[in-house]
Amino acid sequence: MADDTVVGSAATSTTRAMFDYAPAPESRSVVDIASSYGLFIDGEFTDPVDGRSFKTISPASEEVLAEVSEASERDVDLAVRAARNAHTKVWSKMSGRERSKYLFRIARIIQERSRELAVLESLDNGKPIRESRDVDVPLVAAYFFYYAGWADKLQYAGFGPDPRPLGVAGQVIPWNFPLLMLAWKIAPALAAGNTVVLKPAETTPLTSLLFAEICQQADLPPGVVNIVTGAGETGRAVVAHPDVDKVAFTGSTDVGRSIAQTVAGTTKSVTLELGGKAANIVFDDAPVDQAVEGIVNGIFFNQGHVCCAGSRLLVQESVAQDVLDRLKRRMATLRLGDPLDKNTDIGAINSAEQLAKIRSLSDVGEAEGAGRWSPACDLPQHGFWFPPTIFTGVSQAHRIAREEIFGPVLSVITFRTPAEAVEKANNTPFGLSAGVWTDKGSRILWMADRLRAGVVWANTFNKFDPTSPFGGYKESGYGREGGRHGLEAYLAK
Amino acid sequence: MTALLPDVAEVTSSDASLRRFLHGLPGVDQVGAEARAAELATRSIKTTAKEFAIDLAITMVDLTTLEGQDTPGKVRALSAKAMRPDPADPTCPAVAAVCIYPDMVGVAKQTLGESGVRVASVATAFPSGRAAREIKLADTRNAVAAGADEIDMVIDRGAFLSGRYLEVYEEILAVREACARPDGSEAHLKVIFETGELQTFDNIRRISWLAMMAGAHFIKTSTGKVQPAATMPGTLVMLEAVRDFRDVTGTMVGVKPAGGIRASKEAIRYLVMVNEIAGADWLDPAWFRFGASTLLNDLLMQRTKMKTGHYTGPDYFTLD
């Protein structure tokens, strides 16, 4: 620089005070958490028959949040009876227009109580408030609004002139998007005229129970929505109950397989939304800075606890180093910590069990010779934490390229040609989603035709919309949720 | 990063080769760039971080008046404000510069004296840039001779949009030469793109590289005379460009969004973006500026609020 009095040098900048973001925690006081919760059956919170309960904790601090009832087979039976009764006497007789009023009312209450729901979701699940506030809860309301609109238009949905509800739906949902998965299940079921018995995951029951309060607030007829909390046993009881007409499950492929076995030979219809090992494919002509954002969003969104996470980065060899350098620089700016801090990007791993699984698969990756890298990152003392991690030099033969890790761990694989990218992307037992990054529109369409994945995102990733169907190929499950297609799973033709 | 260092002489040897280089830069996906800017805007800057950001933002203001009705009186008042933005609080820092038309440089220089507040003059037939090359250069030399520390030039958007990249490049080179003073020093050159007229993010990335290769000290979004002026995503693309340019050449270039930034909240969002996209090295008035006029009073009002715990009315801050 010719004139140092005008423009400072980069050297002096190292001594400058840094722009440290002060803590900006969202207030916990917006939500009242009861010390214990009953089961929500027939419109009331009731104690479980045998009085068993379990604790739900905050994964960020391991603090106990509440005592939650554990539903036994008998409790599930009561819930299914309540749902059947409500279906026969009230809900199936009600006009679509009346049903839609209840759904619209629920959607509006969700919006009104969005802050409360977001804080509770972040407390119980560990996800950053930025995501629960800006992604989860707005989508929850959007799904209810969307399906509310369908309730009086079912005869125009393309499933016959007079589509009828199936009856009672037994629904089991996972812990990664507790409230959003509830919305994906309950909104279309109710719109189509079914009643539901829903079991939330044992580590994240609280927002489902708050949703039960919202059903009361909306004056939803008793028994239309029943929430039974518990673990695997409770879920099995819901799925196996003889009076359940429809089973809907989102979760691991192993559990999905056993559900398929349970319902085999019965008249129950089933939709399963299971695991994934999605390829996020970056071509050499990709908009590179946005592709890096898409990679970050693909695998580090919700700590990688996303069934459609872009856990395999397929990057064209000619730009691999540049993309990796940019990715690492970007990862160094991710802020890990208190999920309730509004500036947190990466929250806590949902449970000790999940953390152990992520650790063990990451250790396998290292043992198999892949290069492991994480940015410098202080992990909090309490709670369950895992730093954002990438593995380079991964080949198709590595376990971390094949098995779902369900954590903030990315496997980086290179390819040379579009055909090789397709081949590698499809070379997995899963087929839930994929991403394609290129400036060339024709190549996006060419790829989308060949990728065996339920969702293919073009120059974006992890985007959800109630109008868009979502679901998998192969071991990622069957059936579609969302959109007009999502109604089909809840209608008899 | 690993992008190849451009051989500037070769790249600029012909219109065709400059075009090949600029069109070979990675594209910008509009949806993705806008989403990233929106995400950064959700950062919550509170307490100590907010105090830090407000004071930093004040030191980065190029306090601007660019009106046909400007008079020596107006410019003297603005200069006084630039040196002592808050007469009630001596701890309040001065702004970076006053930004004015060339014929007002002498008045500003006289008022600002040795205060350290710089005089930035627009030039090159600002704001349209529609004049002959000699006139633009004479405009620049005149401002430098009058004592301008910094020159804010406009590019020839017509030439850029019709693909005459080399013409734009050569004009920036020529203006940079016109910034030279007899004593061998030079006025610092800010190159205004008028992103509201270039419109696409691909264009913004290309003009950023073109201007940096031509020797711009600063790249600046807008004149303030065209809507939209500065936008978060447009500035984001420019911040990515200066970051990448330093990676391959080692040379740091400053960024100045100008026009439309009126609230402290917006200014803080820009600083978050600087911090997380270009990096902390750019958090310095030597490398980042705000072209603004009404922004300053809002910063002062927020600053007083942070110090005293309550808001005062606009009448407690000077209008100049």
Side-chain angles (χ1 to χ4, degrees):
Chain A
M1 290 294 153
D3 186 352
D4 287 333
T5 60
V6 175
V7 178
S9 71
T12 59
S13 65
T14 54
T15 56
R16 190 191 321 126
M18 300 297 282
F19 191 9
D20 287 323
Y21 304 162
E26 180 63 81
S27 167
R28 272 181 71 156
S29 64
V30 296
V31 62
D32 286 322
I33 305 177
S35 57
S36 68
Y37 286 90
L39 305 168
F40 185 67
I41 296 175
D42 210 16
E44 298 293 335
F45 283 95
T46 56
D47 290 331
V49 176
D50 58 12
R52 284 199 294 172
S53 69
F54 62 98
K55 292 176 170 59
T56 184
I57 63 168
S58 155
S61 63
E62 299 175 62
E63 151 206 14
V64 174
L65 295 171
E67 190 97 11
V68 179
S69 300
E70 184 174 343
S72 65
E73 216 168 309
R74 284 157 69 201
D75 297 307
V76 169
D77 185 53
L78 288 173
V80 174
R81 280 168 197 270
R84 174 61 63 194
N85 195 41
H87 182 257
T88 314
K89 294 187 179 151
V90 184
W91 202 245
S92 67
K93 290 186 174 162
M94 196 182 276
S95 70
R97 186 192 294 178
E98 288 303 311
R99 287 201 309 276
S100 79
K101 283 186 191 168
Y102 285 104
L103 289 169
F104 276 122
R105 196 180 295 164
I106 288 171
R108 285 195 300 268
I109 297 173
I110 287 166
Q111 287 185 319
E112 282 160 16
R113 300 179 71 172
S114 58
R115 208 155 142 232
E116 199 180 337
L117 288 163
V119 170
L120 189 59
E121 194 77 311
S122 283
L123 272 173
D124 203 18
N125 168 280
K127 66 174 68 199
I129 187 77
R130 181 166 69 78
E131 292 178 6
S132 51
R133 178 195 67 199
D134 295 346
V135 182
D136 293 52
V137 176
L139 276 173
V140 170
Y143 273 84
F144 275 99
F145 275 119
Y146 175 75
Y147 280 111
W150 269 118
D152 64 348
K153 304 174 191 72
L154 295 174
Q155 61 271 42
Y156 308 110
F159 305 120
D162 186 24
R164 306 296 308 157
L166 293 168
V168 175
Q171 305 176 319
V172 179
I173 57 170
W175 46 261
N176 58 341
F177 293 94
L179 195 62
L180 183 57
M181 291 302 105
L182 173 149
W184 284 28
K185 296 284 182 283
I186 291 184
L190 263 48
N194 304 272
T195 55
V196 305
V197 176
L198 176 127
K199 188 202 86 73
E202 65 269 31
T203 58
T204 55
L206 294 184
T207 44
S208 292
L209 294 165
L210 183 52
F211 178 78
E213 281 178 30
I214 289 174
C215 291
Q216 289 179 324
Q217 192 184 345
D219 279 329
L220 190 71
V224 173
V225 168
N226 303 274
I227 311 273
V228 288
T229 44
E233 278 306 311
T234 311
R236 267 188 286 279
V238 170
V239 169
H241 195 287
D243 202 31
V244 163
D245 301 299
K246 153 81 191 178
V247 171
F249 171 77
T250 296
S252 72
T253 295
D254 285 345
V255 175
R257 207 174 265 128
S258 85
I259 289 175
Q261 283 160 0
T262 308
V263 300
T266 71
T267 56
K268 291 174 190 177
S269 57
V270 187
T271 42
L272 300 173
E273 202 267 272
L274 309 176
K277 194 72 190 175
N280 207 353
I281 305 163
V282 178
F283 285 96
D284 61 1
D285 65 343
V288 64
D289 289 307
Q290 288 74 48
V292 167
E293 284 310 307
I295 295 164
V296 167
N297 183 40
I299 188 61
F300 302 125
F301 172 62
N302 203 32
Q303 298 72 248
H305 301 329
V306 185
C307 45
C308 52
S311 50
R312 288 184 297 154
L313 169 61
L314 294 186
V315 56
Q316 195 157 4
E317 220 169 298
S318 53
V319 291
Q321 196 54 51
D322 186 39
V323 169
L324 272 178
D325 288 345
R326 288 169 186 269
L327 176 62
K328 287 179 176 176
R329 178 176 59 197
R330 173 69 176 94
M331 284 170 68
T333 67
L334 290 170
R335 303 170 65 87
L336 179 146
D338 179 9
L340 285 187
D341 191 303
K342 291 175 220 166
N343 294 325
T344 292
D345 298 317
I346 310 254
I349 300 301
N350 181 253
S351 65
E353 188 191 350
Q354 188 58 30
L355 179 60
K357 186 187 162 197
I358 297 167
R359 281 184 177 155
S360 104
L361 268 167
S362 298
D363 291 345
V364 168
E366 221 170 340
E368 286 182 340
R372 181 176 182 162
W373 185 88
S374 290
C377 179
D378 291 332
L379 301 183
Q381 293 292 311
H382 299 285
F384 316 125
W385 304 92
F386 198 86
T389 300
I390 56 175
F391 279 100
T392 50
V394 178
S395 74
Q396 293 291 90
H398 283 87
R399 274 182 68 194
I400 50 169
R402 309 203 65 77
E403 294 179 28
E404 187 178 38
I405 300 174
F406 221 62
V409 182
L410 178 70
S411 299
V412 183
I413 300 163
T414 59
F415 68 91
R416 295 159 297 176
T417 62
E420 188 184 358
V422 169
E423 189 178 276
K424 285 183 166 172
N426 287 340
N427 180 218
T428 164
F430 298 106
L432 194 53
S433 68
V436 179
W437 297 85
T438 170
D439 237 11
K440 196 172 281 210
S442 58
R443 183 181 287 148
I444 290 169
L445 298 176
W446 188 90
M447 294 289 291
D449 273 348
R450 285 159 183 77
L451 289 167
R452 301 272 299 157
V455 180
V456 179
W457 283 294
N459 292 330
T460 189
F461 210 92
N462 273 343
K463 282 278 179 292
F464 306 98
D465 189 281
T467 62
S468 169
F470 183 91
Y473 282 62
K474 303 189 275 186
E475 286 190 20
S476 290
Y478 39 80
R480 292 292 178 264
E481 295 184 296
R484 185 184 64 82
H485 307 69
L487 288 167
E488 188 177 14
Y490 291 96
L491 289 172
K493 278 159 280 181
Chain B
M1 295 297 106
T2 45
L4 295 177
L5 178 69
D7 177 345
V8 176
E10 193 189 310
V11 164
T12 57
S13 61
S14 71
D15 234 340
S17 94
L18 182 54
R19 180 185 185 80
R20 266 196 305 279
F21 174 78
L22 294 176
H23 285 252
L25 291 167
V28 184
D29 183 76
Q30 181 186 340
V31 175
E34 287 171 351
R36 177 73 173 127
E39 183 190 297
L40 285 169
T42 69
R43 290 287 193 221
S44 181
I45 303 303
K46 302 288 182 205
T47 62
T48 51
K50 190 173 178 183
E51 283 172 9
F52 172 84
I54 287 175
D55 273 12
L56 181 60
I58 292 171
T59 66
M60 289 173 162
V61 168
D62 278 6
L63 195 60
T64 301
T65 183
L66 292 167
E67 303 296 337
Q69 59 186 345
D70 286 346
T71 57
K74 165 75 183 175
V75 171
R76 270 194 290 269
L78 197 77
S79 302
K81 170 89 165 186
M83 291 185 286
R84 267 183 318 281
D86 186 352
D89 184 354
T91 66
C92 180
V95 305
V98 293
C99 184
I100 48 178
Y101 272 114
D103 62 334
M104 294 292 161
V105 168
V107 178
K109 196 75 196 161
Q110 195 181 22
T111 316
L112 292 168
E114 298 303 310
S115 68
V117 175
R118 292 176 261 279
V119 176
S121 169
V122 298
T124 68
F126 179 96
S128 70
R130 299 254 64 84
R133 174 85 48 94
E134 309 86 84
I135 291 168
K136 295 183 189 180
L137 297 178
D139 195 16
T140 307
R141 285 190 204 100
N142 172 52
V144 173
D149 301 296
E150 305 174 1
I151 295 295
D152 290 28
M153 72 169 283
V154 291
I155 63 155
D156 184 341
R157 282 90 75 189
F160 183 87
L161 288 171
S162 61
R164 287 175 280 131
Y165 296 140
L166 201 55
E167 199 176 310
V168 180
Y169 175 82
E170 284 167 354
E171 188 160 287
I172 297 171
L173 276 186
V175 175
R176 167 102 192 241
E177 276 168 29
C179 287
R181 301 189 191 100
D183 65 359
S185 68
E186 64 179 337
H188 278 254
L189 180 62
K190 305 198 195 92
V191 178
I192 304 172
F193 300 158
E194 201 66 295
T195 53
E197 291 184 349
L198 303 186
Q199 296 203 351
T200 71
F201 292 134
D202 285 331
N203 276 347
I204 295 177
R205 177 166 286 183
R206 286 171 191 150
I207 186 62
S208 296
W209 277 83
L210 186 153
M212 291 187 293
M213 288 192 297
H217 295 113
F218 256 80
I219 54 178
K220 175 174 168 183
T221 60
S222 332
T223 60
K225 304 294 182 192
V226 167
Q227 292 303 322
T231 64
M232 286 271 295
T235 308
L236 172 111
V237 171
M238 288 162 64
L239 287 165
E240 288 170 350
V242 295
R243 175 198 68 194
D244 291 351
F245 190 75
R246 183 175 70 168
D247 280 337
V248 299
T249 65
T251 303
M252 246 171 111
V253 175
V255 178
K256 177 178 171 185
I261 305 168
R262 295 190 176 84
S264 302
K265 195 185 272 185
E266 292 169 79
I268 292 171
R269 287 177 182 158
Y270 274 88
L271 293 182
V272 165
M273 197 161 66
V274 173
N275 192 34
E276 298 200 31
I277 300 291
D281 287 350
W282 269 267
L283 286 174
D284 186 310
W287 303 112
F288 194 78
R289 298 277 181 85
F290 292 105
S293 42
T294 50
L295 171 66
L296 182 58
N297 267 10
D298 194 62
L299 287 166
L300 296 175
M301 218 176 318
Q302 291 296 329
R303 190 175 186 276
T304 305
K305 159 73 169 51
M306 296 296 290
K307 283 193 179 300
T308 63
H310 56 265
Y311 282 106
T312 45
D315 285 348
Y316 293 83
F317 300 92
T318 57
L319 291 172
D320 305 272

